[in-house]
Amino acid sequence: MTSAPLNPPPCRGARGSDLPAYVGNGMIGLRVREIPLLAGSAILNGVVGPDPDKGIEAAVPIPYPLAADIAIGEAWLSDQPWAAEDLLQSYDFGTGELFSQFLFRIGDVALTVEVTTFASRSDCSLVLQESRITAGQACSIRLRTLVDSRPAQGRMAERRTGGPSAGGGEGSLLWVPEGDLSHCGIAFHSRCSLTDDSMIAPKFGSGPLVAEYRVDLRAGQPVELHQITALIPSIVHHRPREEAVRRASLGARRGLARLRALNRESWAEIWKGRIVAQGAEPRHQQLIDAGFYYLNASAHRSSPAATSMFGLAHWPGYHYYYGHVMWDIDAFCVPPLLLLQPGAARSLIDFRARHVEAARRHARLDGRPGMRFPWQAAPLSGEEAAPDDGPAAAFAAHLSLHVARAFSLDADCTGDLRYLRDRGWPIIAGVADWLTGRLRRTQRGAELPCATGPAEVPDPPDNDSFTLMTAADLLKRAIRIGAGIGADIPAAWQDMLDALYLPRRSDGVIPAHDDFRIDEDKGATPSPLAGLFPMDYPAGERERQATLDFFLSRWRDYVGSPMLAAFYPAWAAMAGDRKLALDLFEEGYAAYDAGRFHQCLEYRVDHPDSAVPAGPFLANIGGMLMTMLLGLPGLRISGDSPEAWPHRPVTLPSGWSSIAVDRLWVRGRPMRLVAEQGKDRAQILPA
């Protein structure tokens, strides 16, 4: 039976410059302050507005759904937050519950406040909070629950409170972010354990949704305050306020205790896929568990607009990817989720499938056939929304390849031929058609002019190796999958695959591109190694080893940067260096951990480009999970029987004896993974 995850250490006191806790379920993401009753930040999947600086379509905060307040006499916590002391927060990754505790003291009266906050996985439109307040002496207090619109920019287009018009709850509203690009419905219920009477204030006008309770407490007597809030984006319902009322009312009938139990059952099911590194030091296992948690907390089978680089987390000062869906999601997050939570992985790629017309229009504007997917896909429209002149949007040819490859991996992992024919194959074929139009035939073969890889430099080089190695994998997959479903395969696909050119040096090293120099800008970027894994390019043994040796020896010049660094342990293991693999797990992933609750940052804090803490960064997290599930065990996802996916001996970091997963989903069946150090192959076995 899968053991429980290792939780992060509790945090005491004010967080300083650390990021607040991130609580999410793939539909809703909250930033919860260390005093959790004070409004943090909330993102609802698919709710967008114009970015205030760039004007582009971007994810924007909505009213905070779980705000609350406490008054002793006339002194409200929100007016005097400095009266809160002894702050404590802890996070249970096993259940997705954040626990906060503090002492609120005014004069001789002190209240102990304990708060549990979570986003429901069983009912993904709901976020919930339970506050337990205990007095040290007899006193009268007032409690408020509210939907706080102050952290958001927009307007209440409709607001209803109390009685049948609110669906039997305290209130509901229709929120429209600035720009009128989208809207959302919010409805909330609250319950106080010591009284049934609540005052809705104000009942009229456009103020916040507030319910207030007056309670007389005896010394040592606790009172519980329950909050259940439903949030519905307009992308899933044309009248989201009414749907939010229905969802909140259903949640209230079930009650917080039942919803909490259902949420725990949902997380227990997900944690059956826990990745256990036997022999790893506890801190490293903690970080593996944290990454597992944050990725799974950022995706849900019901997510209508995929997820962004930071999941559904938002905090002022760093949300510079605007909530856009980028290639990192398809390349780094979909593969592990296909094995751990395939329904959530499907929701991520289904976002692409819903916007194929935008991809066709992009290719048509380029004067090419097929589909070219946007570099920064806007959450609502799915169209290109890169800021300013968008150089990466114009020259990063590899983005579309990752989108199509994700659909091929879905086909191999799930075996769902109906979905493949209806949704996946048109995209795989469309991108393959675009690719053959993007390549250029020369005397050297099929070349790729003017394209950037992961090293996004201002002057795109010719023949980026990572893109070409990814192209080889995609064309093979497209030909195989098309033949398997009886589709017509254009001869140009095989012709381009046979003629595909790849730069090579005289010493056998695969360079990053034509005319590559190691001292060029971002020259240490190990993109050719990413072509070996996770793209599985079948390099010859000489060039494979030479390329590994060349780029691994320069790891110090790259780590600290985002994305590819998490693959370093797998590359070191492929080179047979177990000590280096352990060192690079620390340097290429663990050292990105900073602040509260293991929120893996985009850049290491010692990197010169690290301006502000920004996390949890899903590309780094997804890369680590791919390393654990595929790279170190030596798995290659293909159309073969899953038992044949292991394709090379198992080499693990020093001190690690095995990697084990009790439950992976493969073609609709539960399987387990056992990768023991030194074994000729890992094993994928029936669970």
Side-chain angles (χ1 to χ4, degrees):
M1 185 175 181
T2 305
S3 54
L6 300 181
N7 288 320
C11 297
R12 296 184 181 276
R15 59 185 172 83
S17 60
D18 288 349
L19 291 166
Y22 167 50
V23 174
N25 63 4
M27 177 69 84
I28 306 163
L30 305 178
R31 283 289 192 188
V32 183
R33 296 180 184 271
E34 57 270 48
I35 302 177
L37 307 186
L38 304 180
S41 178
I43 293 288
L44 180 58
N45 197 275
V47 173
V48 301
D51 179 76
D53 294 324
K54 301 294 186 180
I56 55 178
E57 181 186 320
V60 292
I62 63 169
Y64 191 74
L66 293 178
D69 211 348
I70 306 171
I72 300 173
E74 295 302 316
W76 288 94
L77 173 65
S78 60
D79 288 335
Q80 302 183 46
W82 50 84
E85 55 190 64
D86 297 336
L87 276 61
L88 171 68
Q89 271 190 327
S90 59
Y91 214 145
D92 184 355
F93 285 161
T95 63
E97 296 177 3
L98 178 71
F99 175 79
S100 309
Q101 180 177 303
F102 60 92
L103 198 67
F104 179 38
R105 187 190 303 275
I106 298 293
D108 295 332
V109 179
L111 303 177
T112 298
V113 184
E114 300 168 300
V115 184
T116 301
T117 310
F118 64 96
S120 173
R121 287 206 65 88
S122 62
D123 299 75
C124 67
S125 64
L126 302 181
V127 288
L128 305 97
Q129 189 162 268
E130 178 186 72
S131 301
R132 183 181 176 90
I133 302 103
T134 307
Q137 64 186 76
C139 61
S140 295
I141 64 173
R142 285 183 286 171
L143 304 174
R144 284 178 181 167
T145 64
L146 64 152
V147 175
D148 194 338
S149 60
R150 288 175 296 179
Q153 294 182 340
R155 72 182 192 278
M156 292 184 190
E158 188 176 358
R159 178 183 181 276
R160 301 193 183 187
T161 61
S165 66
E170 279 81 6
S172 63
L173 61 86
L174 181 67
W175 178 260
V176 182
E178 287 187 354
D180 292 357
L181 298 180
S182 66
H183 49 286
C184 67
I186 306 175
F188 86 114
H189 284 258
S190 62
R191 184 181 71 82
C192 180
S193 63
L194 295 185
T195 179
D196 293 328
D197 295 327
S198 66
M199 178 180 69
I200 309 300
K203 287 188 175 181
F204 305 101
S206 59
L209 296 177
V210 180
E212 183 173 314
Y213 302 88
R214 296 176 181 270
V215 179
D216 294 324
L217 288 179
R218 300 190 303 272
Q221 179 188 27
V223 58
E224 290 185 357
L225 184 65
H226 290 184
Q227 295 169 263
I228 300 175
T229 306
L231 302 101
I232 300 293
S234 55
I235 194 174
V236 302
H237 202 286
H238 288 95
R239 298 182 65 85
R241 188 197 66 82
E242 289 95 327
E243 183 63 15
V245 167
R246 289 186 282 268
R247 299 279 174 166
S249 297
L250 177 60
R253 284 195 293 271
R254 287 178 171 169
L256 189 144
R258 177 59 179 154
L259 289 168
R260 186 178 188 181
L262 290 171
N263 180 66
R264 290 184 168 192
E265 289 175 11
S266 297
W267 272 111
E269 185 68 21
I270 290 172
W271 277 108
K272 290 179 181 178
R274 184 186 182 219
I275 303 165
V276 178
Q278 294 287 352
E281 61 177 272
R283 175 172 168 269
H284 286 171
Q285 182 64 56
Q286 270 191 332
L287 297 181
I288 295 167
D289 288 343
F292 182 101
Y293 171 74
Y294 284 121
L295 179 59
N296 281 284
S298 301
H300 194 283
R301 68 184 314 128
S302 301
S303 302
T307 195
S308 78
M309 301 288 286
F310 296 105
L312 299 176
H314 171 276
W315 201 241
Y318 82 89
H319 205 28
Y320 39 77
Y321 292 122
Y322 314 102
H324 294 164
V325 181
M326 300 178 68
W327 74 278
D328 313 62
I329 301 302
D330 308 277
F332 293 80
C333 299
V334 168
L337 282 172
L338 281 169
L339 298 172
L340 300 171
Q341 201 189 152
R346 178 68 61 79
S347 77
L348 300 184
I349 63 173
D350 217 36
F351 169 79
R352 302 292 194 178
R354 288 196 298 274
H355 297 295
V356 292
E357 285 306 316
R360 287 195 179 100
R361 290 194 299 269
H362 274 76
R364 199 173 297 128
L365 281 171
D366 296 338
R368 293 194 173 92
M371 301 179 192
R372 179 171 75 85
F373 284 85
W375 177 247
Q376 293 196 30
L380 182 63
S381 68
E383 296 177 337
E384 183 63 72
D388 304 321
D389 60 351
F395 298 113
H398 63 93
L399 174 280
S400 295
L401 309 184
H402 297 298
V403 173
R405 187 174 189 268
F407 280 92
S408 75
L409 292 172
D410 176 88
D412 289 341
C413 284
T414 68
D416 188 344
L417 293 180
R418 182 175 63 178
Y419 185 83
L420 172 64
R421 291 190 180 99
D422 292 347
R423 307 281 268 183
W425 174 248
I427 290 174
I428 295 170
V431 171
D433 286 340
W434 172 83
L435 173 62
T436 55
R438 180 68 167 81
L439 295 168
R440 184 179 65 190
R441 291 299 293 262
T442 71
Q443 291 182 340
R444 295 195 297 185
E447 299 194 46
L448 180 68
C450 199
T452 56
E456 296 163 23
V457 293
D459 297 317
D462 291 337
N463 292 314
D464 176 74
S465 294
F466 174 74
T467 307
L468 289 163
M469 296 161 90
T470 306
D473 183 68
L474 176 62
L475 287 172
K476 289 177 185 176
R477 289 176 170 276
I479 292 167
R480 169 177 60 82
I481 288 172
I485 62 173
D488 292 332
I489 309 299
W493 296 1
Q494 188 66 56
D495 291 345
M496 285 296 185
L497 176 60
D498 293 341
L500 206 61
Y501 170 77
L502 187 67
R504 289 176 173 86
R505 301 193 336 174
S506 59
D507 60 0
V509 172
I510 300 173
H513 52 76
D514 281 353
D515 304 319
F516 169 76
R517 301 188 327 274
I518 191 62
D519 61 349
E520 69 186 24
D521 183 27
K522 301 186 179 181
T525 302
S527 53
L529 298 188
L532 299 178
F533 172 78
M535 295 304 136
D536 294 320
Y537 183 78
E541 182 57 33
R542 176 175 177 267
E543 64 184 4
R544 172 183 170 277
Q545 193 61 51
T547 306
L548 285 166
D549 291 345
F550 181 84
F551 284 100
L552 280 174
S553 66
R554 291 165 171 83
W555 66 264
R556 291 178 180 83
D557 298 325
Y558 180 79
V559 296
S561 299
M563 296 188 298
L564 300 185
F567 293 137
Y568 269 113
W571 298 330
M574 290 166 65
D577 193 332
R578 297 187 66 197
K579 181 182 184 305
L580 183 61
L582 181 64
D583 291 343
L584 290 180
F585 185 90
E586 176 63 37
E587 298 286 348
Y589 187 76
Y592 289 71
D593 176 62
R596 291 185 166 221
F597 309 129
H598 298 315
Q599 296 183 59
C600 177
L601 301 184
E602 179 181 13
Y603 287 91
R604 276 178 30 171
V605 293
D606 58 358
H607 193 278
D609 292 339
S610 177
V612 294
F617 191 64
L618 295 190
N620 293 346
I621 290 170
M624 180 275 291
L625 295 176
M626 289 174 69
T627 291
M628 299 297 298
L629 289 170
L630 302 174
L632 293 172
L635 304 188
R636 180 189 294 130
I637 296 173
S638 71
D640 296 333
S641 167
E643 290 79 8
W645 290 359
H647 69 282
R648 56 177 166 79
V650 178
T651 303
L652 302 180
S654 291
W656 295 20
S657 57
S658 69
I659 292 174
V661 182
D662 282 352
R663 202 273 308 283
L664 298 175
W665 288 109
V666 181
R667 296 177 188 169
R669 295 181 295 152
M671 308 287 281
R672 59 189 178 94
L673 169 66
V674 179
E676 298 184 52
Q677 163 59 30
K679 294 290 186 179
D680 183 59
R681 294 289 187 273
Q683 292 181 291
I684 298 179
L685 305 167

